[in-house]
Amino acid sequence: MRNIKLTICYLGTNYHGFQVQSNGITICEAVQDAIERVLGKRYDVKGCSRTDAGVHANRYCLNFRAETEMPLWSIKKALNAVLPDDIAVRCAEDVPEDFHARYCCKGKRYVYKIWNSDAKNPFLQGLAYHYFRTIDVVQAQAVCNLFVGTHDFAAFCGGKNTQENTVRTITACGICRSGDLVEFYVEGDGFLYNMVRILVGTVIAVSENRLNLQDIPRIMEQGVRRVECKTMSACGLYLDEVFYE
Amino acid sequence: MRNIKLTICYLGTNYHGFQVQSNGITICEAVQDAIERVLGKRYDVKGCSRTDAGVHANRYCLNFRAETEMPLWSIKKALNAVLPDDIAVRCAEDVPEDFHARYCCKGKRYVYKIWNSDAKNPFLQGLAYHYFRTIDVVQAQAVCNLFVGTHDFAAFCGGKNTQENTVRTITACGICRSGDLVEFYVEGDGFLYNMVRILVGTVIAVSENRLNLQDIPRIMEQGVRRVECKTMSACGLYLDEVFYE
C-alpha cells in the first residue's frame, strides 16, 4: 500500500470548501472523483485543513493510501487531465506510511489579496477583495507586527470555532503593496476558525480609525471578539503554503 | 444633446461579444441596460468595434447621445454601481457632437495572453490561453517583425471577413515573457475578422516548426489563408487600447 501526497492549487469560487459536505460540491469530492477515474477505485483523502467556501489555495496538501503501481508523473498527469479546470495537481510524491496531511502539518501560510482602488476590476472578481479606501501599509504593518508571537487568539476567531485551546504562534505577518494590489500574509503553527479573515478585518478597522493600534493588545488580552474586527470576504483568501518537517 | 464617450473594461467570458445579437447577452446590451437604469431612457450606443464572444477589453470605447444634466463623475459612479461585476466604466467624457467611437477611431492595440507552462493554472482560466510547449520569444519576435508595415492581410483573416480592402498598417508588434506568462501585442490602424488571433496562430505555427520564418512573406503575398495558421482561442485576447486623434 502506497501513501501518496498531492500538492494541489485551486480556485475555490465554485466549491463549498475542502471538506465533504451535504450542501454542495467540495474540493475533496472533486479530487476523490478524479482519483477514482484514474485509479479505478474510490480512496479516502486526508486534507491538511478544512478551508471555507470560496477560499482559494496556491498549495494545499492532501494524502491518500492506494494500491497502484502507477508512476508519480503519470498520476499527476492523469489527474490533471480529469480534474476540472479550477483544480490542478502541482506535485505528487510518495511519502512514508505514517504521513498524514493534517496531523503532520507544522504550520501554514495564508495570503489575503485586496484590490485597493476606487476602480472596479472585472479581472479580479472572486480573486481579490475590492476595498475602496487607501490602505496605509506602514500603519497596517504596525498592526501585523502585534500579531507576531505566541498569543491567545480567542478574540480573533469566528463563533463556530471548536478549538478549546486558542493559543497560536504566528511566526511572520506582513502587508505589502504592488500598485493597487495589497497583499497581507500570515504564517503560523495553526489557525482558528475564520482567524485569518478576522486578522485582516482588524487591520482594516485600524485603517478606518475604528480601532487604535493600542487597542489590539488589550483586545487580545480580554479574549472577546470585537464587532469592529469584521470577518473579511472569503474571495481574497488563499492558503499559500503548508509546512511539514 | 450631449455626446458622451465611455472607456470601459470587461471580462468577456460570459458575453457574446460587443455587438447586439439574437443568440445571447452582449456587452452592448448590458451597457444600454445600465444607461437606461441611470438616465431613465434607452439610448443607442456606438461601439469602437465588434469584439468576438469571450474576448476581453482593457479599454474599449463607445459613445452615446443623451439629454441629461448629470455630471460625468456621477454618470461613471452610477453606471459602475448598476453594471455587472464583469464590466466597469474607467472614464466618462463629454466629446464633440461629431465624435463616433467607430468612425473616428485611428487605430487599436490588442494583447494576447498565453500561459506558457505545462502546469495547469486555475487562476488564469478564461484569462489566458494555456499552451504547453515553450515559446522561444526571440524567434517569435522575428515573426512579429514581419507583420509590421503596410501589408495585405487577406491570408490572415477568418472566412467570415466582410472587408473588401484587406490592406492594413501594423505600427508595432511584439512578444514578451514574464515568467510563464507570454504576452503578444499588436498595434495598427485596423484589423480584419479574427486577424489578431490568426497572427498569434502564425507565431505558434513557426514556434512548432510547421512553418518557417521565410514562409510568412510568401503567404502574405499569395493572400491565401493557410491551415497552419490557426485561429487561437478567444479567451487570451484583450482589446487593450483604442486610439483617436
Side-chain angles (χ1 to χ4, degrees):
Chain A
M1 188 72 100
R2 283 162 78 184
N3 189 7
I4 297 169
K5 178 187 172 199
L6 298 180
T7 305
I8 64 172
C9 61
Y10 57 81
L11 180 75
T13 313
N14 298 321
Y15 297 90
H16 286 246
F18 184 83
Q19 209 66 22
V20 175
Q21 297 200 339
S22 53
N23 61 344
I25 178 87
T26 62
I27 302 287
C28 184
E29 278 170 277
V31 172
Q32 283 182 326
D33 288 351
I35 292 172
E36 188 173 355
R37 283 186 64 186
V38 169
L39 300 181
K41 202 172 152 188
R42 197 158 189 91
Y43 291 106
D44 194 28
V45 158
K46 307 291 184 194
C48 64
S49 76
R50 296 154 180 269
T51 57
D52 287 338
V55 172
H56 316 298
N58 290 326
R59 284 179 204 81
Y60 183 102
C61 294
L62 57 89
N63 72 297
F64 64 97
R65 291 180 172 76
E67 278 174 279
T68 173
E69 302 287 309
M70 199 182 274
L72 292 166
W73 67 266
S74 176
I75 291 176
K76 176 183 164 181
K77 195 174 173 185
L79 286 176
N80 276 328
V82 300
L83 278 167
D85 287 344
D86 46 14
I87 306 179
V89 175
R90 297 179 72 126
C91 180
E93 299 162 78
D94 278 303
V95 284
E97 171 61 28
D98 61 351
F99 176 86
H100 186 291
R102 183 159 166 218
Y103 301 135
C104 298
C105 169
K106 297 293 173 204
K108 298 191 194 92
R109 180 171 56 233
Y110 283 92
V111 166
Y112 195 93
K113 297 190 185 183
I114 298 171
W115 174 245
N116 188 31
S117 163
D118 59 359
K120 266 171 89 173
N121 189 330
F123 306 109
L124 287 177
Q125 278 181 89
L127 293 173
Y129 176 70
H130 188 190
Y131 180 72
F132 294 71
R133 302 193 206 178
T134 304
I135 297 170
D136 172 351
V137 291
V138 175
Q139 183 200 49
Q141 182 61 54
V143 182
C144 293
N145 293 343
L146 297 172
F147 298 146
V148 177
T150 302
H151 303 288
D152 185 341
F153 286 94
F156 303 94
C157 69
K160 288 193 215 160
N161 178 54
T162 54
Q163 305 285 316
E164 251 182 67
N165 179 3
T166 51
V167 174
R168 294 290 182 277
T169 299
I170 300 301
T171 46
C173 185
I175 197 156
C176 51
R177 174 186 291 281
S178 162
D180 286 335
L181 194 68
V182 170
E183 287 197 8
F184 167 93
Y185 65 90
V186 59
E187 216 173 282
D189 62 352
F191 294 89
L192 304 168
Y193 183 69
N194 276 351
M195 179 170 151
V196 182
R197 290 157 64 183
I198 295 169
L199 293 181
V200 180
T202 305
V203 170
I204 295 294
V206 176
S207 177
E208 291 178 354
N209 293 314
R210 289 183 288 109
L211 284 180
N212 293 317
L213 204 59
Q214 299 83 338
D215 296 331
I216 312 293
R218 204 168 53 234
I219 293 172
M220 222 174 235
E221 219 167 277
Q222 290 167 340
V224 181
R225 175 80 186 279
R226 288 278 291 264
V227 70
E228 293 89 346
C229 307
K230 293 187 188 153
T231 305
M232 302 291 284
S233 158
C235 76
L237 187 60
Y238 294 69
L239 174 56
D240 192 50
E241 197 149 5
V242 189
F243 305 111
Y244 295 99
E245 293 240 300
Chain B
M1 189 72 101
R2 283 162 77 184
N3 189 7
I4 297 169
K5 177 187 173 199
L6 298 180
T7 306
I8 64 172
C9 60
Y10 57 81
L11 180 75
T13 313
N14 298 320
Y15 297 90
H16 286 247
F18 184 83
Q19 207 66 21
V20 175
Q21 297 201 338
S22 54
N23 61 344
I25 178 88
T26 63
I27 301 289
C28 184
E29 277 169 278
V31 172
Q32 283 182 326
D33 288 350
I35 292 172
E36 188 173 356
R37 283 186 62 186
V38 169
L39 301 181
K41 203 174 152 188
R42 197 160 189 91
Y43 291 106
D44 193 28
V45 159
K46 307 291 185 195
C48 64
S49 76
R50 294 154 181 269
T51 57
D52 286 338
V55 171
H56 315 298
N58 291 326
R59 285 179 204 81
Y60 183 100
C61 295
L62 57 89
N63 72 298
F64 63 98
R65 291 181 172 75
E67 278 174 279
T68 173
E69 301 288 308
M70 201 183 273
L72 293 165
W73 66 267
S74 177
I75 292 176
K76 176 184 165 182
K77 197 176 171 183
L79 286 175
N80 276 328
V82 300
L83 278 166
D85 286 345
D86 46 14
I87 306 178
V89 176
R90 298 178 71 124
C91 181
E93 298 162 80
D94 278 304
V95 284
E97 173 60 28
D98 61 350
F99 177 87
H100 186 292
R102 183 159 166 218
Y103 301 136
C104 298
C105 169
K106 297 292 173 204
K108 298 193 195 92
R109 180 170 58 232
Y110 283 92
V111 166
Y112 195 93
K113 297 190 185 185
I114 299 171
W115 173 246
N116 188 31
S117 164
D118 59 359
K120 265 172 88 171
N121 189 331
F123 305 110
L124 287 177
Q125 277 182 88
L127 293 174
Y129 177 70
H130 188 190
Y131 180 73
F132 294 71
R133 302 193 205 179
T134 304
I135 297 171
D136 173 350
V137 289
V138 175
Q139 183 200 47
Q141 183 61 55
V143 182
C144 293
N145 294 343
L146 297 173
F147 298 146
V148 177
T150 301
H151 302 288
D152 186 341
F153 285 95
F156 302 95
C157 68
K160 288 192 214 158
N161 178 55
T162 55
Q163 305 286 317
E164 250 182 67
N165 178 4
T166 51
V167 174
R168 294 290 182 277
T169 299
I170 299 301
T171 46
C173 185
I175 197 156
C176 52
R177 174 186 292 282
S178 163
D180 286 336
L181 194 69
V182 170
E183 287 197 8
F184 168 94
Y185 65 90
V186 61
E187 216 172 283
D189 62 351
F191 294 89
L192 304 168
Y193 183 69
N194 277 350
M195 178 169 152
V196 182
R197 290 156 64 182
I198 294 168
L199 293 181
V200 180
T202 305
V203 170
I204 295 295
V206 175
S207 177
E208 291 178 355
N209 293 315
R210 290 183 287 110
L211 283 180
N212 293 318
L213 204 56
Q214 299 83 339
D215 296 330
I216 312 292
R218 204 168 53 236
I219 293 172
M220 222 174 235
E221 217 167 282
Q222 290 167 340
V224 181
R225 174 83 186 276
R226 287 278 291 264
V227 70
E228 293 90 344
C229 308
K230 293 187 187 153
T231 305
M232 302 292 283
S233 159
C235 75
L237 187 60
Y238 294 69
L239 174 55
D240 193 48
E241 198 151 0
V242 189
F243 304 111
Y244 296 98
E245 292 238 300

